[in-house]
Amino acid sequence: FFIGVYIGGGLINLLMNNLSLVIPIVAIVLFLLFIRSIFQFLDLKNRVYDLYADTITYSEGFLSKNYSFIPMENLSDSTLTQTLVDKIFGLYDVKISCQGSKQEIHFKNMVNGPKLEENIDRQISKAKSLVGTEKQQKVKQVQTKKQAAYRARPLSADTRFTAEYRMDGKRTIVPLLIILPICLILFPLMLFWIIFLVTQIIRMSFTRYLVKSNSMEQRYNFISQKNAEFTNEKIMAVVFKESFIDKWFKTCSIHFWSIGSAENIKFTNIKKTPGLYESILAKSGIREQDVLYQMNSNFKISEMFKSTLFITIISFFILIGSLFGTIFYNSLFLIPLGVIAFIYIIVAIYKSIYYNRSKLTFYKDFIYFTRGIFFVEFYYALYDNVKDITTVKYPFSKLGSIKFNVAGEHIIQQGKNKSMVSNHFKINYIDDIDTKDELIDMIFYQRPNAQEIKQIEQNIQSYSPKPILFSKPDLANSLTGLIITSVIIFPLIALLPLTIPLTIWWVKVKSYSIQPYRVIAKSGILYKKQVSIVFNKIDHINYSQGMLNKMFHNGNISVNTTGSSTPELVIGNIDNFKEFYEILKKYY
């Protein structure tokens, strides 16, 4: 940094020919660096961590003090990292994640980091998790027999199976050799190909995947070191992935979703040995069971147009324009017509095959989902780890999609920005979407057998409980916000005759209700959306009032589920927000 400042100062000197300006700049920068190093030194010297059998306590800071403690059952996984500079001084960073992303304890610059991580992992494995178990508090139900909650029993996880895996060499290198001729033809790509090849060889040589008695671990140790370990009890879902290339080499990849880490552990390109999937699933207590209920995608060409309504409308206008252009001007206008028709045919054929393989199966304790043609994915998640579901009904249709949110989050890279999204999987083109949301929640909550599920589905109305409390948002907040925005962004005022009716319509279709075993939110004008959270998946709730809320005497309620850094459901701008909050708190 000093060299950079010195060179920069020299350039300024050349441009301004005034050395008297350079010396003070360099002196100020060096002084600030010195002050920063002192602060960092004092910060590190004042960090104290204590590891007990059931708790981790730590204190940080020398000006502003931070004293914290975290019970061991709240911890989910650990990551050990060591940069090149750390290796020189024999230091390690150990990061322990809590049950929720962005909630970490960072042990910075530690000696004997591997031993520290080992001790922490041992204590985590002994502690009973707060996730994956139903709450035992009894709540008065409207219909005692129909609404009785299922009491989850601890599943017996396999602790005997252990193994070590490495990336398969042929599976990793051969695909790169296949694209080598293309890179030779497009020679500028050759440099990137060589860099990627070297990277893959290093990964393959210095990465190990370990299946331990009570955890899964990924180890990498080359110039830098990084070890990530998830305890089996905190693994929320297991995803097996197989591409058409994996079929050639009899390999697969396994992804483990944790409740506390924003990065998944990935066993990449490992050999698919007989019984591998069953052995890995048994580590989380998932074993073969009888099928209770099956839900498959029902793709139709007509429904494809409805599910992508806006794209369909745009395509329709392009087609009409092409026809008019062909009739009145030139036959060249047929080209867009032919291109759009060709794209729709290809997409329809692909989706027909793809969604014919999209299947969702419910077992006694877990849910299984599979999809894909050339890249096939198999998802497994225990019911207790699914925190909420979202259904979306397509316009002018009885079909829709269902998204299952699993406890935990992962990072999505969008250009230079990173965002956190909930771990999830989604199935599209499901029949009778209006009834599926309630049926699935009943399966999660009551755990009926196959015969009972069939009876519930055939007569869903009689099993639907009456709302305990119903509420709708206030129009005033949204309309005031719209008008203020239109005044600030002046051209938007001209659109008010259109945006005001749309805003009123958009708010009017929203509703929130508390039922005896869940809270639900409905919204959407064309695409009807419903979010439902069963009470035993709620971690905490809170209410708040902004400036507009205080002006119009309403408020907001945030519903947070375990393993999320942001609220899973925001009940906004309702007049009876305090009553809604108290009743929801009482039931959940």
Side-chain angles (χ1 to χ4, degrees), residues 502-546:
L502 283 175
T503 301
I504 294 173
W505 191 7
W506 177 66
V507 174
K508 284 289 186 182
V509 297
K510 286 187 174 183
S511 66
Y512 310 102
S513 61
I514 300 174
Q515 293 183 356
Y517 66 98
R518 64 177 183 168
V519 56
I520 61 176
K522 296 183 179 182
S523 61
I525 297 174
L526 292 175
Y527 291 84
K528 302 290 185 181
K529 179 180 177 181
Q530 177 170 310
V531 180
S532 66
I533 304 177
V534 176
F535 291 149
N536 53 32
K537 308 301 179 186
I538 297 176
D539 183 67
H540 66 278
I541 60 175
N542 65 280
Y543 69 83
S544 61
Q545 277 187 297

Side-chain angles (χ1 to χ4, degrees), residues 489-500:
I489 307 174
F490 191 73
L492 294 179
I493 291 179
L495 297 176
L496 283 177
L498 177 63
T499 54
I500 287 177

